[in-house]
Amino acid sequence: MISDAEAVIMEVLWRTSPRSAEDILTEVGPQQRWQEGTVKSLLNRLLKKKAVKVERDGRRYLYSPRLLREQYVSQESKGLLDRLFGGRVAPLVAHFSEQRKLSKRDIAELKKLLQELDDEQP
């Protein structure tokens, strides 16, 4: 499982890769208030988790994602549903509707999705 801090690194790599630790630090260091050691530690954790791969380029190392963003989103979504809603989507949607977090556009998109799913049923 990827931590929130590791996900920040992954987002950089998903946008553009390969990237060096210094490139990543330049992009996210100021807003995250991270130093070079923090970025390198996070990269090492991601290497151990096999979420990224590394290749040597002269005197520096370049990192690229192994884990696709779609795989990450799928894992995180499933984990959230399992942890908070017993693996069911309906209680998740009900929660957001109760909290008034669904816009008219969200509701229209959900209706369209439900209709498409219903049309696919035999």
Side-chain angles (χ1 to χ4, degrees):
M1 183 162 186
I2 292 176
S3 71
D4 290 344
E6 293 164 346
V8 171
I9 301 290
M10 292 301 297
E11 287 292 343
V12 171
L13 294 175
W14 285 321
R15 279 193 299 277
T16 310
S17 61
R19 304 287 295 270
S20 69
E22 294 78 20
D23 294 338
I24 296 168
L25 177 63
T26 299
E27 187 164 334
V28 299
Q31 71 243 33
Q32 297 293 328
R33 295 188 176 118
W34 289 346
Q35 301 297 316
E36 185 176 357
T38 303
V39 170
K40 287 184 176 181
S41 291
L42 291 168
L43 285 166
N44 282 325
R45 286 172 29 190
L46 289 165
L47 280 167
K48 287 178 185 171
K49 294 177 180 183
K50 298 186 186 210
V52 299
K53 59 185 176 183
V54 65
E55 62 185 62
R56 193 172 180 117
D57 180 42
R59 298 179 67 202
R60 65 185 185 156
Y61 293 96
L62 297 177
Y63 299 86
S64 299
R66 270 192 165 156
L67 178 68
L68 298 175
R69 189 171 194 290
E70 294 77 20
Q71 292 171 308
Y72 169 71
V73 169
S74 179
Q75 290 169 1
E76 288 294 307
S77 299
K78 184 174 178 347
L80 174 76
L81 279 176
D82 289 346
R83 280 190 316 276
L84 300 179
F85 300 101
R88 297 185 57 232
V89 175
L92 169 73
V93 175
H95 168 76
F96 283 111
S97 68
E98 289 166 6
Q99 301 299 317
R100 304 279 186 222
K101 302 286 185 191
L102 294 176
S103 68
K104 289 185 185 243
R105 180 178 175 192
D106 292 332
I107 293 168
E109 288 176 9
L110 284 169
K111 284 180 180 178
K112 181 180 176 194
L113 177 61
L114 288 171
Q115 184 60 50
E116 290 171 2
L117 289 171
D118 195 40
D119 290 346
E120 291 175 6
Q121 295 295 319

